Amino acid sequence: MFGNFKLYPKSGVNPHHSPAYPLEWDCTLQTVEVITRVDPAKIDAMLEGSGFERVNDRVAFRFMLSPGHTLSLHKGKMFDLMITVPVRYQDLFTQTHVYMYCSDPIGMVAGRELFGYTKKDCTYQFEEDSWGAIRGWVNRRGFQLAEFSFIPDDSAPLVRLVDGDEQPGGEIHVRRLPHPERPEPAYEDIVYRRTPLEYSAPATGKIDLKLYPSEFDPIADMEPEVLGAHYMASRVYAGGFDLEDRRLIKRLTP
């Protein structure tokens, strides 16, 4: 853990001398968001067992660079690819990440265990030129998963994850702890979080998105139809009990 943050005593990590998961962090954020359409039956299959209700047939591919991330100061930045579906659960209009890839081991492991994220490790490229064009790729353990090329274009249509002014807020996931003796959950619940985020107005552009077949990371099997893409940035992106809306929504097992 780096930065001017504290580590909470009795934070849930054992043994007591083990470094606690960092619950406070901050950074800036740059996001290329690609909105796609996916066969609803495929989305339903990915949501099976969660209890979450699919909102529409759209899936967002969010290539997210976090310069100055305090969990990854030794690298200078962190990267995430979030593949996101809008959902409803009880009174929440929110979203869940059906796939996630992260360049930093602390961000990956803490996200999986604290919030049930689907994060896996990755390497990446995210490069912006002086004209605002952004190119990049995501690779997992030597296997290329995705490549993108974004060129700003004011004439391109703005397509959001849902139609209308209200966009889904926060994130919801099923968190599971494996049983030590049997291949089943010993504990599972539904958790929600909403971090402070102040995105700039979306700047539209043209996008070239390529996904590659992978047996272990079958994101290409979704066969998404690209509807549009845009770029957003935020100087406010942070986490911690004093900043986030964190909730344990429902305990499932036991």
Side-chain angles (χ1 to χ4, degrees):
M1 179 59 179
F2 301 91
N4 187 24
F5 297 115
K6 61 181 177 291
L7 294 176
Y8 291 88
K10 300 182 180 179
S11 62
V13 176
N14 291 317
H16 67 277
H17 54 266
S18 174
Y21 286 129
L23 302 177
E24 296 178 310
W25 52 271
D26 69 14
C27 59
T28 58
L29 185 61
Q30 298 172 256
T31 300
V32 174
E33 181 172 74
V34 185
I35 303 299
T36 72
R37 178 185 292 122
V38 171
D39 181 348
K42 294 183 177 182
I43 299 176
D44 290 340
M46 289 185 286
L47 296 178
E48 185 178 0
S50 67
F52 306 153
E53 177 189 355
R54 174 177 52 83
V55 170
N56 56 22
D57 60 358
R58 294 182 188 175
V59 176
F61 288 73
R62 294 175 178 154
F63 299 88
M64 304 170 64
L65 188 70
S66 305
H69 202 301
T70 51
L71 303 189
S72 197
L73 281 182
H74 58 299
K75 294 183 178 180
K77 61 192 71 173
M78 186 187 293
F79 172 85
D80 289 280
L81 167 57
M82 297 185 179
I83 303 178
T84 303
V85 173
V87 297
R88 295 186 185 275
Y89 185 78
Q90 296 180 1
D91 60 342
L92 293 169
F93 177 43
T94 182
Q95 52 203 339
T96 191
H97 311 309
V98 291
Y99 293 98
M100 289 185 74
Y101 300 91
C102 183
S103 66
D104 187 272
I106 295 179
M108 179 188 71
V109 176
R112 287 179 68 98
E113 297 197 14
L114 291 177
F115 300 105
Y117 287 166
T118 54
K119 283 192 177 186
K120 295 182 178 182
D121 58 298
C122 76
T123 53
Y124 73 96
Q125 181 187 61
F126 188 105
E127 294 184 353
E128 182 177 7
D129 66 20
S130 58
W131 300 98
I134 303 174
R135 294 173 178 83
W137 47 258
V138 178
N139 185 292
R140 175 162 161 79
R141 303 188 178 186
F143 294 91
Q144 201 77 341
L145 295 183
E147 296 176 358
F148 73 95
S149 176
F150 174 83
I151 300 175
D153 185 345
D154 293 342
S155 66
L158 175 60
V159 182
R160 304 302 301 269
L161 190 54
V162 301
D163 293 328
D165 294 333
E166 183 185 5
Q167 295 297 306
E171 307 158 312
I172 193 168
H173 292 277
V174 178
R175 180 176 57 169
R176 295 180 174 92
L177 176 69
H179 197 285
E181 295 178 318
R182 299 183 296 276
E184 62 186 42
Y187 175 85
E188 57 184 338
D189 58 25
I190 296 176
V191 293
Y192 172 84
R193 75 184 302 200
R194 185 167 187 161
T195 57
L197 189 59
E198 297 179 6
Y199 267 133
S200 60
T204 59
K206 296 179 180 178
I207 189 73
D208 180 20
L209 176 67
K210 295 180 181 178
L211 304 179
Y212 294 88
S214 171
E215 180 180 359
F216 300 105
D217 297 274
I219 62 176
D221 292 353
M222 288 190 285
E223 300 179 314
E225 174 193 354
V226 173
L227 302 178
H230 50 270
Y231 170 83
M232 301 180 293
S234 176
R235 293 187 176 275
V236 179
Y237 190 40
F241 286 110
D242 295 334
L243 299 173
E244 295 183 55
D245 177 3
R246 295 181 177 216
R247 303 185 214 168
L248 172 60
I249 302 299
K250 185 177 181 179
R251 184 168 174 170
L252 302 175
T253 302

